[in-house]
Amino acid sequence: MKKIWLMISCMVLVCAMAQSKVNVITKSIVVYPEKEAGKIARIVFNADSKCGLLFIIRDSKGNIVKTLSSILNEAGQSFIDWDGKDFSGRIVEEGDYSVSVVTGISWALDEKFGIKGRIGIETMQIKVTDPEKIVFKVPGEIKRITVGETEYYKSDNLSIAGPNYVIKDGNIQINPTGGAKKDDIVNVEYYNPFYLENPWAIDVDQAGNLYVLYKWKTASMKYPATTLVKVSPDGKKIVDDFGSDGKIGPFSGHANQVTVNEKEGRIYICATSSHGTGVFSLKTGAFLYEIGGWFGSGSSDPRTTVYPAGIAIDKTGTKIYIRGFSAYDRTKEKDKGFLYRENPIKHSGYAPLIDNYWGPSMESARQPDCFYASSYYSDISKIKDTGSGFSELYNVHINGSPVGMSLDADTEVLFAALRTVSGEIAVLHDTGFLLNELWRLKDNELGPTHAVKMIGEYLYVVEDGASPIGRTLEEMKKANVNPAGKNRISKYRLIFDQEKDVCKITVKK
Amino acid sequence: MKIASFIAVIAFFSGISYGFEIEVNLKNPSDIPITCNISLVRTFTDEHGNWWPDLGFISEGTLLKQKPRVENFIQPGKQSGWIKIPSSARILVCKRISENPVKWKLDVKITEGGNTISRSFEFSEKTMTEYIYLYTVPSSPGPIRPELLTAEEIVDRNLEIVKQTIKNRQKTPEKIAIYTDCFLSASNPSQYREKQYKFLRTLGINGLQYCDPELIPEIMEKGFLYFRYGGGTIEYQDYYKIQQEIEPAIKSASLNLSGVFERYNAINYVRNLKLGDEISSGLLQEYIAGGEKTRIEVIEYLKTKKIQLSEAEKIELKPASIIRNENPCLYYWINRVRMERINSLWDCAKKANKKYFPYAWSSPNWPVIAYLEGGYGGYGWDLWHLYDNQYLDGIWGEDWPGYEVWLRGGDAYLVDMMRCQAKGLPVGIYNVVEANHSSVYARYKFFQQLINGITEIFWYSYGCLRGNESKPWEIKTDIVREIALLNRDAGEAEEYLLNTELEPASIAILWTPAQEIWEPEYHIEIIALYYMLLHSNYNVDFISSYDVESNRLKKYRVLFMPFSYVENSAWEKIKNWVEEGGFLVIEGGFLRDECNREIDLGSWLKGFSTKRIERVKSVGRLPIELPKQKLLDSTEPVYFPVICSKYNLTVPEKGKCLLRYKDQSPAAVQVSKGKGAVRITGFYQGLSYIWDQENRDNSKWGDILLYHSFSPEMRIFTTEPAGICKIKKVCDIDKNLVVARKRTGKNRQCIAIFDYGFGSDKPVMPVWETIGETTVKLEIKQAKNVKCLNGEIHKDKDSYVVKFKGATMLLIDF
C-alpha cells in the first residue's frame, strides 16, 4: 500500500470548568423543625465569583437526605436555608447531619467504553497520492465515502459493490475512473464498532447495558424506521442474546424515547406504532402490549396519544405519562388503562424544536406524580399529575433548546442534552420550587446532543445523526439550532468538585 | 342406536342442499327507534370448502361467508314484517346497530318439508349481537327435526349432558394434558365465556390451543392448566432453505409469542409448542434444482459421515430420473441428505423456542400423510430422524381419521409408531372423532394413546364436540358423553400410566431409508404386518437402519424385514445378529442394497436362490385400494392369497420348505444360521392378510367399515417365529382379536384390553348398542387392588375375569 494519510478525529478527553472557591461560614447549627423558633437552618457562605452551588445533606450513615442549590450572580456572601425535611417533605429523624458543597462539575471520557469512550460514527481521511491506486482499510461498516462532492459509497445503496469502488479482502479500492485526483482527500465515515445510525434515545440498566433507539432509512423508505439495540456495558458489542440478534423493532412509527424499568422487567418505548407506547420484556425483548395509540375518532379522541414525543413512568405506582399529556395505567393495553388527558399546558404543550414533534423529552421526577418535560420554548417544566389532569409547577428557560433529560434521583440533579453547536449538557437542580441551572458540561468535540442518561457516576451522551427536513429544518435554522449531531454515543465519568463536611447540622424535635 | 336408523341418519344428512326456508320478523317494543340487521353465516371453512360450525364458540373473527344482511330501521312499537332470508347457512347473526341500549325482539320461522317451526327471541339491551343456531338433533327419537337455539342454550344443553354422564366421577387429569381448541374471544360476552369455560372444564379439558391472548388470565383463573401454541415454526416453503435463512424469522416468532405469555406471567403454562404442520422432506426434483447449493450440501454430508463414492460416482446433479439409473449410489445419498436436512431446521426451531419457553417442549405435527399414502414423494416417514433424539423434544401426531382402518388397529399402529420414534420423549396427538363415527371409536383411540404413554391428547372440537364439517348442525351427544367419560378415565388412570412403563418388545419391524428411496410403495407392508402382530397380542417395536447401525438390535429376538431394500452396513449387522441367535424374517424373497444392487442371499444361505415371477409397482393405499389388487396365486397347505408380488424360492441347504404355491414351488423357506434362523417368504404376508379378509368375507357390507374378520391361520403362520423364540404374548388371552397392552411399574400395573372383534364372530356395527360383551380371564398375581374402567372384574381363584365391551383398562396396585 502506498503512503496514506490517516487522520482520525482527535478527541478531547477531559473538559474541566473553572471552579469557584466557596467558604462556608456556618460550621455548626441546631434546627428544630417542629418548633416555631429555630425551624430553619441557615447556612451562610462566601463565594469568590458568580457560581452555582449544590449543597448535599447526609445523615450519619452517609445517606443523602436532601440537596439544596443556590446560584450567585456575583461574588460575595449568601446563604441557603434547610427546613429539616427530606426529599419527600417529611421531617428527618433527630441527629447530626453533615453538609457538603459541590462547586462545579467536570467530565472525562471513559476510554474503556466503545472505541476510546464513544460508539457510533467515526471519520477518517485519506490523502490521494496515486489516483490509480486508492486502496485502504476501514475498521468498521462504511456509511459514506466521498471525494469532494463525489459520493463513492453510501450505506443506503444496500449494495456490496458499486461502480465507483470495490471491496476485496477487507480492502476498499476507489475506482480511478471516479475522478479522484492527486492530493484529493477521501472522506470516509464508518460505524465503529457496529452499525449505529442516528442514535436517538437511550436508557441504561444497572448492569450497564445500553438500550439505544436509533433511526435509519434506506433510499426506498419514505420515512425512517426506529430500532432498539441492546449494547454491552463496555460498548464493544451488541448483546445478541436479546430480542432478534440484539435488536427489537424496527418500528414504523417515530419511536422517540426508551425507558427501562428493571423492577417490572419491562422496556417502554414511546411511539412504536400507531402512536402507541410499546411495552417489551426486559429479559427477552419480546413485545408484550401497547399503551395508548390511535382510537376512535383519532386525534380528537381523548384516549389517542398522537405523535407522542416522550414518556415518563411513575416509579411507585402504575401510571405512565405520555407526551400530550395523557395518563394511563401502564399495566393495561391500548385504551383500557386510559385515565385522563390534558393538552396543551403552558410552556409544555409541544415537544422541543427538533425533528418535528419528536424527541426524547420527558423524564420522571423523584416524586412519583411528577415529571419533567422539555418544551418548544427552550424551557424545562416540572409537571404534576393532579389525579384528574396536569398542572405545571414551575419552569426554567434554558438557552440551547433542551431535548432529552436524565435525573440523578439521589441528588435531584437533572441533566439535559442541548442542541448547541458545540455540544453542551445543562446541569440543573430541582429545589422543589424551581429549577436552578447550576452548570454546563462542555466538550468541544461534541456536536448538538439529543439525549443523556446519568447512571452512577457516568453520563451517556447521545448525538443524533440525521438532519430534519422541511418546515422543521427551517424553524431550527431560524432559532439557530443545529439540526444534527455527530451520530455517536459517548460515555463520560462525571467528577464533582465537592468539599465535604463543610457544616454540621443537628436536628432536634 | 339401531343399525337401520343409523343408516337412515347417514342418508338424511348425505345431501348438501338445505331444504328449508327461513323468515324473520324484527320487533321494536321500546320507545326509541332502532336499527338492526340479520344475516345468515357460515363460520369456519376448511381447505375443501366445507364449513365447520364453532357451535357455541362463535366469535366475530371466525364468521365467514356471510350472506347479505337484511338491515332494518324500526320505529318504536313497530315491526318489520316477515322477511325471507337466503337459506344456505345455519347460524343467524342478529345485530343491533344503533348504540342505544334497547331491548328488541325477533321471530324466526323455518319451513321445512311443509312443516313449520318458529320461535320468538328477546334480546337484552346489554348485548349488541346474538347468535341463533338452526340446529338439528339427530339422536332424538323420531324424525329428525330442526330446532332454533341460541349459542348459550347449546352450551347449556351440552353441559347438562356432561353433568348427567359424569355423576360421581369428578376426577379429571392434571398431569396428562387434555386439550381442545378455543375459539372464544375477548369480545364475547363474559357470561357466555363463563359458560364455555364451565362446559369445557366439566368435560375434563385442562388445556387449550390457540386461545385469544387477552383471555389468558381468565383461562388460568378458570382452572385450565396448559396452553398449546405455535411458537417459532417451520413452514413448507422453509424446507429448501438452510438454517441461517430461517433462523431470524423463527426466533422472532418465538420471541413475539413469549411476549404474549410473559405479559400475563404465564410462560410456564405453555406446555407444548408446535414447530410446524405436517412438514417433511421436500421433493427430490426440487432439491436437485437447488443446483450448486445442493451439491455442496451433499458433498459436506458425505465428508462428515466419511462416506466415499467411487470414481464413477461423481457428484454431478442431473434430473432425478437420470441419476436414478446412471448413478444409483449418488441417487441414494442425495435422497438421504434431502431426508435428513430437515433435522437442522427442526433443531433450529426447537432451540429458538426453548430459549423463550424453557418449560415447554416443542414438536412438529407428524406428517400423517405418510401414513395415509405410504411413503415417499416428499411426505412422511422421515421423522425416523428423531433417532438419538437429537433434533426434537418430541412429536405430535395428527390422528388419522380413516374410520375404515381403526377397526383393524390403525390407531394402535399410529401411536406405537410414534412411541418408537420418540423413544422416551413426550408425544402428543390430535384426536378426531367425526360426527358420523361411533363414539366407540373414541374409546379405542384414547385407550391406545394412554397405554402407549401419550401424555398430550387433543380432542378436536369439530367432530368431537361440535358436529363435523359436512353435518355441522348436529349435536353429537354420544361423542360428548364418551369424551367426558374418557377424560375421567384418564384422570383415574394417570398415576398408573405415568408411573409405569410399557413392557419391552422382543419383536421388531425394520424400516430402512433404502426402501423408502427405492420402493416406497411396499412400505405399507409394515402396517399390514403390524396388524398381525397386534392381533396376535405381541408387543412390537418399529426400528430403523439407524437403530441397527447403532447396535440396538441385540435386545430383540425376532426381526421382520417387511420389504427388500436395506443398507449394506445395516445388513452386515443383521447377519451378525442372526448368527448370534436372532430369528430373521425376510419378506418378498429378495434383498437389494442402498445402491439398488442385489444382495446375494445365496452366498450367506447356501443353496438359496430366488426368481421373480410377478411384481406390481402400484400397491395402492392399504385400506381402500389394496383389496382391488388381483390375486397372483395362493399358498398351501394353508390357504394364503398372494398379491402384488410373487417370487419363487429355492430351499437352502439344510433348510425346509414351509409353504408352496399352487404349482408346488416353494413360497416360504426356513433355515438355521449360526445360533439363529432365517425365514424367507416369496410373497408379502401382511398384504395378503389385509386382502384376504375382504375377499373371503365378501360380506356386502361394502363401505360400512367392516374389516375385522381376519384369518387366524395366517396370523399363526406369520407370527410363528415369535412362538419358536418363546416370546410371551402381552397377556395370555386366548380369544381371537382380543389384545392387551400392559404397563408395569414398581407397585402398579395398567392393562388395556381391546376387542378388535367387537364381541362377535360376525360383522356388527361398532356402536355400543350392538357390539357384544367380551369376557377374558387374566392372571394377575398378588394384586392388592384391581379396578376396571369401562367394564366389570371379579376374582376367580388365581385369575381375574374381566367383562367389557370394546375396550377396557385395568388399574392394578400391588
Side-chain angles (χ1 to χ4, degrees), chain A residues 241 243-245 266 281 284-289 333 336, chain B residues 214 248 251-252 255-256 258-260 262-264 355-356:
Chain A
D241 188 28
S244 181
D245 296 326
R266 299 280 192 262
S281 164
T284 63
F287 171 74
L288 304 178
Y289 57 99
E333 67 177 334
K336 289 180 183 160
Chain B
E214 275 191 57
K251 275 185 182 173
S252 176
L255 175 68
N256 289 341
S258 76
V260 171
E262 187 181 336
R263 181 186 169 194
Y264 300 113
K355 179 177 172 186
Y356 301 112

Side-chain angles (χ1 to χ4, degrees), chain A residues 172-200:
Chain A
I172 294 164
Q173 179 165 1
I174 299 288
N175 191 332
T177 60
K181 300 184 295 293
K182 189 169 185 295
D183 294 335
D184 276 354
I185 300 295
V186 179
N187 292 293
V188 181
E189 289 176 68
Y190 62 98
Y191 304 100
N192 205 4
F194 44 76
Y195 178 84
L196 187 69
E197 171 67 8
N198 195 12
W200 199 255

